Amino acid sequence: MKIVAKQRLRQRVVVLGGGYAGMMAALRLAPYARVTLVDPSDRFIERVRLHELAAGRPEVSHSRAQMLRGTGIEQLAARATALDPAARAVHTDCGRTLLYDRLVYALGSHTDPRGAAHGGTPAATAGAAPTAGAAPTAWGRAFTAESAAALHKRLLDGPGALAVVGGGLTGIEMAGELAESHPEWEVRLLTGGEIGGGLSARGRAHVRTVLDRLHIRVEEGRRIADADSVDADAVVWTTALRATDGLARDAGLDTDPVTGRIRVDAALRSVSHPDIYVAGDAAAARAPRAGALRMACATALPTGAHAAGAIIAEWRGAEPEPLSFGFFMQCVSLGRHDGLIQPVRADDAPRERVLTGRPAARVKEQVVRSTVRFLKLAARRPAAIRLIPGVG
């Protein structure tokens, strides 16, 4: 502990991105280092609630200043514009240049409507995490989860035909939420494969039952090139998730060309720049039990905590331990009054048994609330992070 206390006087850590992973990493590091958290928004957005925001929930964010109060973390409301690994420096759009001893790259991911069909340039600005109030894409009638607030305004303009593209969990939640809250709209769910492909047979059956009850027309085997090829008044794109990789790519970090995720070792260090740790959706992380980690809140919190713990281990003169992680369940909301809890094996393969209906909806709500509770607990008692199931 004395070694860490001495290091605290001089070690500087810059955390890029204030989502689930970045917040968790910053909070765990706060007692041991001078931490600067860089994010252009002064609000922490509950990204797992964006479909609720689109449906009319008034707020899905929290004051970041209140969450960080008393932690000693410097919050810089700015956008990182360039990363210079050789100088260990981050340049920002507010004119400040931040020097670091260790960097945590946690800029997350965004929905790229053009990515799946064209391999095009990501819709989000390089180095910028998406925000809930973002404008619709350049197509005008196409929206993503990140433009949930704009989508809600469009839905209030008047009834019409709405198409949700993508049959994964995000698309299922979005379609169910919007059909329930806006029954005057005709809602379709379009997917190139089978709806809920990662669910068990029972799980998929329940999803189909609920979507049918909500009068959502499911069209499987529909491979959509872009929004222009969809006959609808509004299109919600929920597929083609891509890491926000502009800064990393421009700085020469080794990234996956398809997903944009930064390649990391077992301890979440960049394989090309080991003084940079990567957490959350930005990391092409693997674990022995889980295999390749998918982009999700369920993986963001644990990888954020692990990246911080690995940095602390380095300061203590120890080799950071490899990431140990296993999936436990998938939670799906199907409107406000129904849901699906899909237990899974450590590698995310579905088990056959499921929990459905109102009990599942209540469990899903508690799981979502627990993410913010964990972050608030970490702010008050950082040592407790190691005791949080699935995170520490």
Side-chain angles (χ1 to χ4, degrees):
M1 196 68 182
K2 292 182 179 179
I3 295 176
V4 176
K6 292 179 180 178
Q7 292 283 9
R8 180 182 179 182
L9 298 176
R10 60 187 180 86
Q11 292 287 350
R12 301 157 298 183
V13 178
V14 173
V15 178
L16 297 182
Y20 297 103
M23 285 285 285
M24 181 59 76
L27 290 168
R28 185 168 186 182
L29 284 162
Y32 306 102
R34 290 177 287 165
V35 179
T36 302
L37 178 67
V38 182
D39 192 289
S41 175
D42 62 355
R43 308 286 295 180
F44 170 76
I45 297 170
E46 291 189 77
R47 190 171 181 179
V48 294
R49 289 195 189 274
L50 289 181
H51 58 289
E52 298 178 38
L53 182 66
R57 187 184 179 99
E59 186 60 83
V60 297
S61 67
H62 307 264
S63 167
R64 199 185 304 278
Q66 290 184 3
M67 294 178 73
L68 297 178
R69 183 173 298 154
T71 64
I73 297 171
E74 179 189 5
Q75 175 191 351
L76 181 61
R79 194 180 305 273
T81 56
L83 172 60
D84 184 350
R88 291 188 176 182
V90 175
H91 302 282
T92 67
D93 63 358
C94 70
R96 283 186 60 182
T97 296
L98 305 172
L99 301 180
Y100 63 84
D101 296 294
R102 290 293 181 271
L103 177 80
V104 178
Y105 192 108
L107 286 174
S109 62
H110 60 272
T111 309
D112 181 6
R114 295 162 293 183
H118 306 296
T121 303
T125 303
T131 60
T137 68
W139 293 329
R141 65 190 180 98
F143 301 82
T144 65
E146 294 88 355
S147 57
L151 172 58
H152 178 59
K153 292 178 181 178
R154 173 65 187 90
L155 294 175
L156 293 178
D157 286 342
L162 172 70
V164 178
V165 179
L169 303 188
T170 302
I172 291 170
E173 288 193 323
M174 184 66 76
E177 200 80 34
L178 298 185
E180 181 182 83
S181 61
H182 293 80
E184 70 278 9
W185 279 76
E186 176 189 327
V187 180
R188 290 182 294 155
L189 180 57
L190 315 179
T191 176
E194 184 179 25
I195 190 170
L199 302 174
S200 66
R202 289 183 182 178
R204 286 193 300 274
H206 182 69
V207 168
R208 290 180 186 278
T209 297
V210 176
L211 296 185
D212 182 66
R213 187 176 73 234
L214 294 172
H215 306 292
I216 299 169
R217 193 171 81 199
V218 176
E219 300 180 18
E220 296 172 301
R222 289 286 308 276
R223 301 196 68 83
I224 309 299
D226 53 44
D228 290 334
S229 62
V230 181
D231 182 17
D233 297 298
V235 179
V236 187
W237 203 275
T238 67
T239 187
L241 205 61
R242 182 179 176 84
T244 304
D245 62 338
L247 282 180
R249 189 178 62 249
D250 293 345
L253 274 67
D254 188 356
T255 62
D256 182 294
V258 177
T259 65
R261 304 178 91 177
I262 300 171
R263 293 192 172 97
V264 295
D265 66 11
L268 301 183
R269 290 174 292 207
S270 163
V271 296
S272 58
H273 297 76
D275 53 341
I276 296 177
Y277 282 78
V278 192
D281 290 357
R286 299 184 62 88
R289 291 186 299 153
L293 271 56
R294 58 180 166 86
M295 297 182 183
C297 173
T299 55
L301 291 172
T303 55
H306 184 85
I311 292 173
I312 296 168
E314 276 193 321
W315 293 341
R316 288 174 169 161
E319 178 64 23
E321 295 182 0
L323 175 67
S324 176
F325 176 82
F327 290 99
F328 178 65
M329 66 181 178
Q330 297 178 13
C331 304
V332 189
S333 61
L334 299 168
R336 291 295 83 207
H337 309 292
D338 207 326
L340 170 68
I341 302 302
Q342 173 69 74
V344 298
R345 297 180 176 84
D347 63 355
D348 212 22
R351 300 180 186 275
E352 193 55 35
R353 67 180 186 275
V354 295
L355 178 67
T356 62
R358 287 181 180 271
R362 288 194 289 268
V363 171
K364 168 66 188 288
E365 176 61 23
Q366 290 306 311
V367 169
V368 172
R369 290 185 182 185
S370 70
T371 61
V372 177
R373 290 181 185 137
F374 289 162
L375 291 171
K376 291 181 177 180
L377 173 63
R380 298 193 308 270
R381 301 178 62 184
I385 294 176
R386 295 179 292 107
L387 305 178
I388 300 174
V391 175

